[in-house]
Amino acid sequence: MTEPTAEHHPFGYRWHERFPNATRVAGFEGGAVFAADAEGAFWLIKDEGTMADFLDSVEDADLLARLVTLERFTDRQSRDDAVARMIERHRRAHDGSE
């Protein structure tokens, strides 16, 4: 498994323009996760923008600056494994087994 490199972007970052063919692979209360194959890599895009409404622009400035995370993987399997782990963690957290 390769370790991803990550880019953090603020709320409102126009990642849709950079990855127009991204596919939604998971959703949760704070946002959604998308997968894209672009720029010679395999991307996992975590957009937690729906949390922005609940954050104070002064007190939570650091968090607001990191609501979009782009993780770059060098191979599809590593990216897909990361998606599976994230979905499993989310499932366990919501069914009480974590």
Side-chain angles (χ1 to χ4, degrees), residues 32-44:
V33 179
F34 301 82
D37 299 354
E39 303 174 1
F42 304 91
W43 295 86
L44 187 61

Side-chain angles (χ1 to χ4, degrees), residues 8-11 46 48 60-69:
H8 299 283
H9 298 279
F11 170 66
K46 299 175 188 173
E48 300 178 279
D60 300 308
D62 185 54
L63 184 56
L64 281 166
R66 302 172 61 89
L67 286 179
V68 176
T69 301

Side-chain angles (χ1 to χ4, degrees), residues 17-71:
E17 293 175 9
R18 185 172 168 188
F19 303 104
N21 296 321
T23 303
R24 184 179 169 141
V25 294
F28 50 94
E29 295 83 12
V33 179
F34 301 82
D37 299 354
E39 303 174 1
F42 304 91
W43 295 86
L44 187 61
I45 303 155
K46 299 175 188 173
D47 187 339
E48 300 178 279
T50 57
M51 288 179 48
D53 291 340
F54 302 104
L55 300 174
D56 179 278
S57 62
V58 174
E59 291 179 20
D60 300 308
D62 185 54
L63 184 56
L64 281 166
R66 302 172 61 89
L67 286 179
V68 176
T69 301
L70 309 177
E71 291 184 69

Side-chain angles (χ1 to χ4, degrees), residues 88-98:
E88 180 60 20
R89 279 192 309 268
H90 184 73
R91 184 196 62 77
R92 283 192 313 239
H94 285 81
D95 73 5
S97 62
E98 192 171 272

Side-chain angles (χ1 to χ4, degrees), residues 71-89:
E71 291 184 69
R72 181 186 189 277
F73 294 83
T74 56
D75 63 276
R76 182 184 312 271
Q77 187 62 53
S78 294
R79 193 250 338 255
D80 293 348
D81 290 347
V83 170
R85 285 190 306 275
M86 180 180 30
I87 290 171
E88 180 60 20
R89 279 192 309 268

